[in-house]
Amino acid sequence: MNKKPREKKTGVSEQPHHEPVARVEKPRPPENLDQSNDAVIGRAFRWSLLALLIGIGTVAGILFLVKRPAAQLSNVTQLTSPEAPGIPTVDIPTAKLTDITAPAGITFVHNNGAYGDKLLPETMGGGVAFFDFDNDGDQDLLFVNSTYWPGKIPKDKNPTTCALYRNNGTGHFEDVTAGSGLDVALYGMGVAVGDYDNDGLVDVFLTAVGANRLFHNLGHGKFADVTAQAGVAGSTAEWSTSATWIDYDNDGDLDLFVCNYVRWSREIDFEVDYRLVGIGRAYGPPMNFPGTFPYLYRNDGQGHFTDVSQQSGVQIKNPATGVPMAKSLGVAPVDINGDHWIDLVVANDTIQNFVFTNQHDGTFKENGARAGIAFDSYGQTRGAMGIDAARFRNDDALGIAIGNFANEPSALYVSQRDSLIFADEAITEGVGPAGRLLLKFGLFFFDYDLDGRLDVLTANGHLEEEINKIQQSQQYRQPAQLFWNSGSNKGFRYIPVPPSKSGPDLFKPMVGRGSAFADIDGDGDLDVVLTQIGGPPLLLRNDQQLNHHWLRIKLVGTRSNRDAIGAWVKVRAGNKTLSRQVMPTKGYLSQSELPIAIGLGNAISVEEIIVTWPGGTSQNVVSVQIDKLNVIQQSP
């Protein structure tokens, strides 16, 4: 395939930003007014929408809360409570999430290698993946680990490695790391899983501070490090975070996109020498570090990849200085405009978010400002972390949710009549103010109660251990937050779930980072894992007893990539039309299960299922089994 280079168009210049631990936010306009026409139109539309939905008086009150200084927020919301004052809980279903970490056999403990020098990567790692590495039909677990810094290994310790756990089918796990090939020490961050050579076995890509690693699945629980021959190590000077397998050129095999965060080294960190009064040296904000570029690797077949980052248009420079701009932590691969080519929405920390629209010729065009996703409603950048995309309203509107820094509401950008124009509706949908105080990392859509509507979960935790000394409204360890999708088009759609409805285990304070979901025990509902910095993960079994029906669908591509990553499944059941994307990349540094789970609520049958495979071919599925896993192979 010819890969025609395309002229790159850059975004606006990098915005000044808050410090990450104690700040007072002040509205400010975008620095680059060259893109302001679309931004102003988008903001005007959003304000009109807010006024229509909840009244000008209510909007003013909410915005006053949203923009109040952090010191005043401590009197508004308590970090130990996931409930927002005044939000009804009476209609929320009872669906208990039970901590089974120890009983399930999970003994992994994350090691960030911290020894007192407060190096920035120590605050950020801990991805996790649910995937069926042994092809036995159940979801196994891989935890990404960091390790000790060079020369700082304690005398009584060995370098730490990732941990691979095999699921026995009932939700109990066996540690099979030793001898798997994944038992290597690196300063790991995130993980992406996908069958890049279409051999039926899921392969593993690990991101890291320094060189990344690709492991080819050999079967029988063994993996081979093929990084060198594949050509995907990247630079040892980079710090990679989230990654995703996608077929961006629709040629039937999986390519690889890798986020890079900031240009970092121990020397740069000490030159920055970020300090807090009364504490001393602390973890500094990313604005003190240079930006960088992501990687895009095209799969050439035969186990080799070509780095096409430069010619593909994903390397965005600051137009004023010409320096690399990206400070990327999360990516949501999704076909935004319905042209059957995968696009990329990239969450950036303290600089504008990117929207890379696929140009069908091997290149992308950055459209974040035009789309209304680059900034918040005031034209400001935010500390964007985890990200996910879904049709959460069960209509044609696409939602892109982003978890932001503490004292910043999560974003929920929703497509408008023009599929490339989005408005941030986090306030009117309910996910904004209720979670504002928390520092959100892992975030994903999933249907935890199987009622057919996509709920939202965030994993939360601060960067600085002693944050409470300088900001009383904050804690280092923070509870997760679960939002139930009520389906309401009047008032808040998303309502925070209290412990009385889901049990207290989900809300145990932790330094949350990665998150993922899967059905680990074959009962149809979705179980959850959360990771944390310097501690054990939290594995939660879904014990809901709502008698809701469900479908599980696993797609097998023949002309498309075998995993069918990027495909959409549309199910019509009664008066509901449910659309779900096959996409394991969700949230922050992590991967959820490949099969899709579709809650049906009280419906006992489905009228229609349409699969749209990567590339746009459609296939009607004539027969499926309710409350079962259905394997659907692409027709010739």
Side-chain angles (χ1 to χ4, degrees), residues 528-544:
V528 171
V529 65
L530 310 177
T531 71
Q532 67 172 325
I533 289 287
L538 180 62
L539 180 63
L540 297 156
R541 185 182 62 215
N542 192 329
D543 290 331
Q544 61 89 19

Side-chain angles (χ1 to χ4, degrees), residues 497-539:
V497 178
S500 61
K501 294 294 185 177
S502 63
D505 291 353
L506 172 63
F507 305 111
K508 294 177 179 178
M510 62 188 300
V511 195
R513 293 298 183 261
S515 60
F517 63 80
D519 177 11
I520 64 174
D521 49 9
D523 63 356
D525 54 31
L526 295 174
D527 311 293
V528 171
V529 65
L530 310 177
T531 71
Q532 67 172 325
I533 289 287
L538 180 62
L539 180 63

Side-chain angles (χ1 to χ4, degrees), residues 16 43 144 164 166 175 189 202 209 246 277 287 329 343 356 384:
R43 288 195 295 276
V144 182
L164 180 66
R166 177 186 288 123
D175 189 336
M189 285 283 142
V202 183
V209 176
I246 53 169
V277 176
M287 58 185 277
L329 289 176
D343 308 301
F356 292 115

Side-chain angles (χ1 to χ4, degrees), residues 105-111 127-131 133 140-146 160-166 173-178 180-186 191 204 206 223 531 537:
I106 304 299
T107 59
F108 171 79
V109 176
H110 180 263
N111 172 32
V128 61
F130 277 119
F131 73 125
F133 78 85
D140 309 301
L141 263 172
L142 175 66
F143 293 99
V144 182
N145 210 352
S146 301
T160 49
T161 74
C162 298
L164 180 66
Y165 287 89
R166 177 186 288 123
F173 294 84
E174 176 190 3
D175 189 336
V176 294
T177 312
S180 67
L182 296 175
D183 48 347
V184 295
L186 74 166
V191 56
V204 173
L206 298 178
F223 292 81
T531 71

Side-chain angles (χ1 to χ4, degrees), residues 84-134:
I87 294 179
T89 61
V90 63
D91 294 327
I92 299 175
T94 299
K96 189 176 181 183
L97 296 169
T98 305
D99 179 3
I100 60 165
T101 312
I106 304 299
T107 59
F108 171 79
V109 176
H110 180 263
N111 172 32
N112 65 350
Y115 60 91
D117 273 350
K118 294 291 184 79
L119 304 178
L120 187 58
E122 296 166 0
T123 69
M124 303 299 287
V128 61
F130 277 119
F131 73 125
D132 185 7
F133 78 85
D134 53 1

Side-chain angles (χ1 to χ4, degrees), residues 16 54 57 165 249 266 301 400 468 508 582 591:
I54 57 178
Y165 287 89
D249 50 6
R266 187 177 183 277
I400 297 171
N468 185 250
K508 294 177 179 178
V582 179
Q591 305 273 283

